[in-house]
Amino acid sequence: MIPERISCVVGARPNFMKVAPVHQALARRGLQVRLVHTGQHYDEKMSAVFFEDLGMPRPDAFLGVGSGNHAEQTARVMTGFDSDCEQFRPQLVLVAGDVNSTLACALVAAKRGIAVGHIEAGLRSRDWSMPEEINRIITDGCSDLLLTPSRDGDANLRQEGVPDWRIHFVGNCMIDSLRTHLERALALGTAAALGLSAQGYAVATLHRPSNVDEPPQLARLLAALGAASERLPILFPIHPRTKKRIEDAGLHVAPGITLCEPLGYLQFLGLLAEAKLVLTDSGGIQEETTALGVPCLTLRANTERPVTVSEGSNLLLGTDTATIGPAVEAILAGQGKRGRIPELWDGKAAERVADLVCGGFRTLLDA
Ligand code: UD1
């Protein structure tokens, strides 16, 4: 099929930088593209600022679902998006990543017989306790176009029995955004404005339930980051979930750690690019640091993005916080990974998606 009307869905912070370049590439080709924001992330700093930074137009529809438990949030997105599909009648729905909005909209579209394209298909952490792993697997299961960012994604899908005609290795759409905006991000001089010198600080982010929801683990992580901050200052833009947990549990944050509000895309990208090292449990930041060649220490037991470890600058530290100090020391001693840029992380992934969509593709209903 060759679709004329396409809905692109965004819901949470990590979606915006993946969808923006695809939305732009499709619009440039004269297709009718609708941008639907589910409202899973709604704070100015978790959402609106990204539209501005990425040059995305105002969404055509805002579903306003807000927070809630997984069932409530997923259900609200499904109901809202179903009405939107009823009205706009898209022939293709593009979803990205692994958040609840991704799963909800893919399910709605599939049940309506609308083709689904999944940007960032095929990634697997093999950790069924992660809500994102469930979201990835179910979304892939109902997607016609499986748009993979790396070869491991293709291999995972094949291993699950997915036929080759559904798998399309397009590269990493999020890295398109990084390449487009890096120069502007650096020109902002965010590190200098915060009194930090290039290569003289670390950036930390934490928000995974497995790291922040249980106070003892969060306390151990904060203590390890505190010790590392005696070696170099740490800037920690804090996710609302983590902020709430620290406050509720009354946890201590060392003076070498500067907590700040979540940052916009450009400010954060500029800070990553000039950091000596990054400590994170985010998925996207593992990829951004790999694209920038900045050493990244991932504070998780597993990663769905193994190419950042096998080729990039990422080191998977696991959940034992005793590993953090030595890993930071090694980077300060000049042993940080620099890595290389993975295949097709070349800034042209969104164009490949647009080529595919405009060239026509087979769907699950045709099969
Ligand atoms: C979601 C994604 C996660 C992604 C992360 C990036 C799922 C299952 N999880 O997690 O994969 O890495 O986004 O940020 O979709 N909150 C606010 N303001 C907001 C949004 C959230 O205050 O704009 C608070 C609310 O108290 C909410 C909590 O953060 O309950 C968690 O938000 P939610 O969207 O449920 O999941 P995230 O932890 O943000």
Side-chain angles (χ1 to χ4, degrees):
M1 76 169 311
I2 302 183
E4 283 166 11
R5 291 184 308 283
I6 301 171
S7 285
C8 291
V9 175
V10 292
R13 185 167 62 177
N15 292 153
F16 305 126
M17 42 295 233
K18 295 167 194 166
V19 172
V22 176
H23 180 270
Q24 278 154 13
L26 293 170
R28 269 199 301 273
R29 303 205 187 193
L31 296 161
Q32 279 186 56
V33 199
R34 184 172 175 84
L35 187 59
V36 179
H37 188 335
T38 67
Q40 175 173 344
H41 282 174
Y42 46 85
D43 285 358
E44 157 80 22
K45 294 195 166 70
M46 298 293 284
S47 173
V49 64
F50 289 84
F51 277 71
E52 205 171 296
D53 281 0
L54 292 159
M56 272 204 285
R58 281 170 60 89
D60 299 290
F62 184 74
L63 307 181
V65 302
S67 299
N69 66 36
H70 287 271
E72 291 162 347
Q73 192 173 55
T74 309
R76 283 203 292 267
V77 177
M78 287 185 73
T79 315
F81 188 59
D82 197 53
S83 305
D84 197 74
C85 288
E86 178 70 31
Q87 205 190 322
F88 180 64
R89 304 220 160 254
Q91 293 147 324
L92 171 66
V93 166
L94 287 173
V95 295
D98 55 20
V99 302
N100 286 342
S101 299
T102 311
L103 165 70
C105 294
L107 263 179
V108 165
K111 293 276 180 90
R112 278 184 164 268
I114 303 168
V116 179
H118 184 201
I119 299 164
E120 204 185 79
L123 301 190
R124 299 288 182 264
S125 65
R126 315 270 173 224
D127 178 355
W128 196 245
S129 70
M130 281 178 82
E132 293 81 4
E133 182 75 352
I134 300 172
N135 292 345
R136 286 180 205 113
I137 290 179
I138 313 286
T139 302
D140 283 345
C142 48
S143 292
D144 304 72
L145 290 172
L146 292 159
L147 306 163
T148 60
S150 44
R151 293 279 186 200
D152 54 283
D154 301 15
N156 290 335
L157 292 166
R158 285 203 187 100
Q159 201 190 356
E160 291 169 16
V162 175
D164 280 349
W165 64 264
R166 285 172 64 200
I167 305 172
H168 307 273
F169 175 42
V170 293
N172 193 321
C173 294
M174 189 181 67
I175 302 305
D176 290 11
S177 286
L178 182 147
R179 287 179 172 247
T180 304
H181 299 290
L182 181 58
E183 215 173 300
R184 271 202 312 144
L186 285 168
L188 287 180
T190 306
L194 291 167
L196 301 166
S197 56
Q199 302 295 311
Y201 64 93
V203 174
T205 79
L206 289 175
H207 74 281
R208 293 266 155 230
S210 57
N211 276 333
V212 307
D213 282 2
E214 299 301 328
Q217 174 64 3
L218 182 54
R220 281 191 292 275
L221 282 162
L222 287 174
L225 293 182
S229 74
E230 288 170 17
R231 299 287 283 124
L232 86 172
I234 298 182
L235 185 70
F236 187 168
I238 193 157
H239 187 287
R241 169 194 281 277
T242 312
K243 184 171 185 224
K244 187 164 185 312
R245 302 287 186 233
I246 292 177
E247 284 168 1
D248 288 353
L251 298 177
H252 172 70
V253 179
I257 303 176
T258 304
L259 296 181
C260 67
E261 292 285 303
L263 298 166
Y265 180 69
L266 294 175
Q267 282 187 315
F268 190 71
L269 180 57
L271 278 170
L272 280 187
E274 293 193 319
K276 181 78 181 168
L277 65 114
V278 174
L279 299 129
T280 192
D281 61 6
S282 149
I285 295 171
Q286 296 172 52
E287 296 185 340
E288 288 166 335
T289 45
T290 274
L292 294 165
V294 172
C296 178
L297 301 173
T298 295
L299 309 174
R300 284 175 48 186
N302 49 58
T303 178
E304 63 285 344
R305 300 162 210 271
V307 74
T308 62
V309 176
S310 60
E311 295 183 32
S313 58
N314 189 20
L315 198 62
L316 194 58
L317 283 195
T319 51
D320 179 0
T321 53
T323 56
I324 295 175
V328 168
E329 284 307 326
I331 294 171
L332 293 178
Q335 292 153 20
K337 285 174 81 180
R338 291 277 162 209
R340 61 188 148 94
I341 310 283
E343 190 183 356
L344 297 193
W345 290 24
D346 57 358
K348 297 180 186 134
E351 286 302 325
R352 283 188 282 271
V353 174
D355 287 346
L356 199 62
V357 169
C358 294
F361 55 89
R362 193 169 153 196
T363 68
L364 283 162
L365 281 175
D366 303 328

